[in-house]
């Protein structure tokens, strides 16, 4: 009818193509924010060996970009965050199938290592790095926002969660974060980015910590009191002396990103998700066409 808004549609082929490209780009092109943090750390690192590590990381990122090769041989398990506008119609098939097909094609065409096994016990490689781990968020509007974040095992294995007591308070939460990084040592290939999720319940806290890692280095939580906690945690972590690649130094972490959520009166869950220096994520917003 005249005057009525037309329904926006998007075909799965558009989504498949976008995810394919994002998988390749995420593994080949380290974000400008991460490279900038390397260059900054190169000037502040007190350890000669640490400065050498940063110089090599900068060089490695440039080679990966110029020669179109992965910056790290562990091209990760593909984590995808989806913000789906509730007024957008997906046509041609299921959205989840389209996302996985994009991963499949991206890892094949990009010559990226396939690291996913079909079962945690049988451990037979799926040969195409699927299935991806997909998180959906239904939002207003008629657009589709996709963030692809490959996550390697070395850093993922160093994550942890603790169901603190409310009486543990902020200091108990902060101490757990610092202790988790201290225990990880050089295993997650520092310099690291530390994602912290506080609140919700067990699974919500871990999701918050994971999503926090998609925030650019240097971008603080918009809430001032939480930004100050991020700064204090970063300072305390860098005083541990773990340093780049665990060789000692003052730049163990490039950033601490904190996200919070309401929780139960009897709970104070806190999760830590660590990203290695290959902090990979790329995103795109797809607009539907009118019918």
């Amino acid at each position: 009818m005249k005057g009525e808004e037309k329904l926006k549609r998007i075909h799965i082929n558009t989504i498949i193509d976008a995810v394919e490209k994002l998988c390749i780009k995420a593994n080949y092109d380290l974000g400008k924010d991460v490279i900038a943090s390397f260059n900054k750390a190169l000037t502040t690192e007190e350890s000669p060996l640490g400065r050498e590590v940063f110089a090599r990381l900068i060089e490695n990122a440039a080679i990966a970009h110029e020669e179109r090769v992965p910056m790290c041989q562990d091209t990760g398990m593909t984590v995808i965050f989806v913000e789906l506008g509730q007024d957008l119609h997906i046509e041609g098939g299921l959205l989840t199938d389209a996302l996985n097909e994009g991963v499949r094609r991206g890892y094949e065409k990009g010559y990226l290592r396939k690291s996913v096994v079909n079962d945690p016990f049988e451990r037979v490689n799926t040969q195409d790095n699927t299935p991806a781990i997909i998180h959906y968020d239904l939002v207003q509007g008629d657009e589709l926002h996709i963030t692809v974040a490959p996550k390697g095992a070395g850093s993922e294995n160093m994550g942890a969660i603790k169901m603190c007591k409310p009486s543990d308070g902020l200091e108990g939460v902060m101490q757990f974060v610092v202790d988790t990084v201290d225990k990880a040592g050089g295993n997650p290939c520092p310099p690291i980015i530390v994602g912290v999720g506080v609140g919700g319940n067990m699974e919500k806290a871990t999701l918050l910590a994971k999503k926090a890692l998609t925030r650019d280095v240097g971008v603080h939580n918009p809430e001032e009191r939480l930004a100050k906690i991020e700064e204090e945690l970063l300072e305390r972590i860098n005083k541990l002396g773990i340093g780049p690649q665990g060789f000692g130094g003052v730049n163990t972490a490039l950033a601490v990103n904190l996200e919070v959520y309401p929780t139960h009166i009897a709970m104070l869950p806190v999760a830590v998700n660590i990203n290695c220096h290959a902090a990979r994520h790329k995103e795109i917003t797809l607009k539907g066409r009118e019918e």
Side-chain angles (χ1 to χ4, degrees):
M1 293 176 63
K2 187 176 181 179
E4 288 187 352
E5 292 187 4
K6 295 181 179 179
L7 183 65
K8 295 288 184 69
R9 300 174 180 271
I10 189 167
H11 196 276
I12 62 167
N13 288 341
T14 301
I15 299 168
I16 292 170
D17 183 62
V19 172
E20 174 190 315
K21 290 181 171 65
L22 287 174
C23 287
I24 296 172
K25 189 172 179 58
N27 279 288
Y28 288 4
D29 301 323
L30 195 58
K32 292 180 180 179
D33 59 310
V34 183
I35 296 175
S37 70
F38 288 170
N39 281 291
K40 180 180 179 181
L42 186 60
T43 66
T44 61
E45 181 53 59
E46 298 174 359
S47 163
L49 185 54
R51 289 195 297 273
E52 179 68 17
V53 169
F54 278 112
R56 290 289 174 262
L57 291 178
I58 294 167
E59 180 184 17
N60 182 65
I63 292 171
H65 172 73
E66 292 166 7
E67 298 190 8
R68 311 313 294 158
V69 294
M71 71 189 73
C72 176
Q73 55 87 21
D74 184 354
T75 53
M77 195 167 189
T78 311
V79 180
I80 304 178
F81 291 97
V82 178
E83 293 180 8
L84 174 62
Q86 64 180 3
D87 298 321
L88 181 66
H89 176 66
I90 308 296
E91 60 181 8
L94 295 176
L95 177 55
T96 298
D97 291 345
L99 295 169
N100 277 309
E101 181 61 24
V103 171
R104 183 177 295 110
R105 295 184 189 183
Y107 273 71
E108 183 65 30
K109 294 182 181 179
Y111 297 98
L112 306 175
R113 195 183 81 181
K114 290 85 172 175
S115 302
V116 176
V117 295
N118 70 331
D119 181 276
F121 301 116
E122 294 179 356
R123 308 194 74 81
V124 177
N125 198 296
T126 63
Q127 300 298 320
D128 58 11
N129 222 59
T130 68
I133 296 176
I134 306 169
H135 303 288
Y136 290 102
D137 191 11
L138 190 63
V139 299
Q140 290 185 339
D142 53 17
E143 297 179 344
L144 178 65
H145 188 82
I146 302 171
T147 301
V148 170
K151 189 66 160 62
S155 60
E156 188 72 5
N157 285 340
M158 295 297 103
I161 184 167
K162 182 178 181 180
M163 302 303 289
C164 292
K165 300 184 294 291
S167 59
D168 292 331
L170 175 59
E171 180 53 37
V173 167
M174 294 180 71
Q175 191 59 53
F176 172 69
V177 175
V178 175
D179 288 346
T180 299
V181 175
D182 193 22
K183 183 178 179 181
N187 290 308
C189 294
I192 59 176
I193 297 172
V194 184
V196 181
V198 181
N201 57 6
M202 181 179 285
E203 78 268 15
K204 183 64 176 182
T206 56
L207 180 57
L208 289 170
K210 174 72 72 179
K211 197 167 186 179
L213 294 176
T214 64
R215 195 196 309 163
D216 283 354
V217 175
V219 177
H220 284 294
N221 190 297
E223 192 169 339
E224 186 177 357
R225 67 182 178 88
L226 299 180
K228 289 181 178 178
I229 295 172
E230 292 176 337
E231 291 174 349
E232 184 175 345
L233 280 170
L234 180 62
E235 182 179 355
R236 288 170 63 168
I237 287 169
N238 283 333
K239 284 182 178 179
L240 293 172
I242 297 168
Q245 296 298 301
F247 294 140
V250 299
N251 286 284
T252 299
L254 302 172
V256 176
N257 296 344
L258 170 66
E259 297 291 339
V260 302
Y261 194 82
T263 189
H264 190 280
I265 57 173
M267 293 194 301
L268 181 57
V270 52
V272 178
N273 198 273
I274 298 174
N275 214 342
C276 66
H277 64 271
R280 299 164 290 193
H281 57 270
K282 298 296 179 185
E283 56 190 290
I284 191 172
T285 298
L286 300 175
K287 300 180 182 295
R289 69 180 190 280
E290 289 186 352
E291 284 292 319

